Amino acid sequence: MAHPPGVLRGFIHGMLGRIYRLCSNLSDRDAHLHKFYRHLLHRGHKPPKVLPIFTSAIESFRNPSDPNLQEQQVSNRPLFFKLEYHPQDPPSH
């Protein structure tokens, strides 16, 4: 518990958002959520403090209040451009 108390809520919401974005398989997602919760408890956080934050974060990802949230998450994904190899390696300018 080396962080200031105000950081915990953002840390939990950020990590749960990461888990929801990266895990498409529900059983994998649940396993990672449970593992993260246990990690917080092992690091000294108490269930009465962590559980309400954890529950509200899960609810916000299961039932987003913004109906366009799903589209925003998809549209904000990084794009990768693949350029064709040029045998004479032209300069960038």
Side-chain angles (χ1 to χ4, degrees), residues 5-71:
V7 174
L8 183 61
R9 180 176 167 79
F11 175 61
I12 292 173
H13 275 267
M15 190 62 173
L16 266 58
R18 181 176 183 265
I19 291 169
Y20 269 81
R21 282 190 304 273
L22 294 175
C23 298
S24 57
N25 183 301
L26 294 178
S27 62
D28 287 345
R29 180 183 296 164
D30 290 343
H32 283 286
L33 291 172
H34 186 68
K35 183 178 178 182
F36 178 57
Y37 180 73
R38 283 190 325 232
H39 172 78
L40 292 172
L41 298 182
H42 288 144
R43 299 298 291 174
H45 296 283
K46 303 296 179 203
K49 176 91 173 172
V50 172
L51 195 55
I53 301 170
F54 209 86
T55 305
S56 72
I58 289 174
E59 272 306 307
S60 72
F61 288 108
R62 283 191 180 158
N63 300 316
S65 59
D66 182 2
N68 297 321
L69 183 63
Q70 188 71 18
E71 294 176 27

Side-chain angles (χ1 to χ4, degrees), residues 70-85:
Q70 188 71 18
E71 294 176 27
Q72 290 173 359
Q73 288 177 350
V74 171
S75 66
N76 288 335
R77 288 184 179 167
L79 297 176
F80 297 97
F81 293 101
K82 183 178 178 183
L83 298 176
E84 230 178 277
Y85 170 74

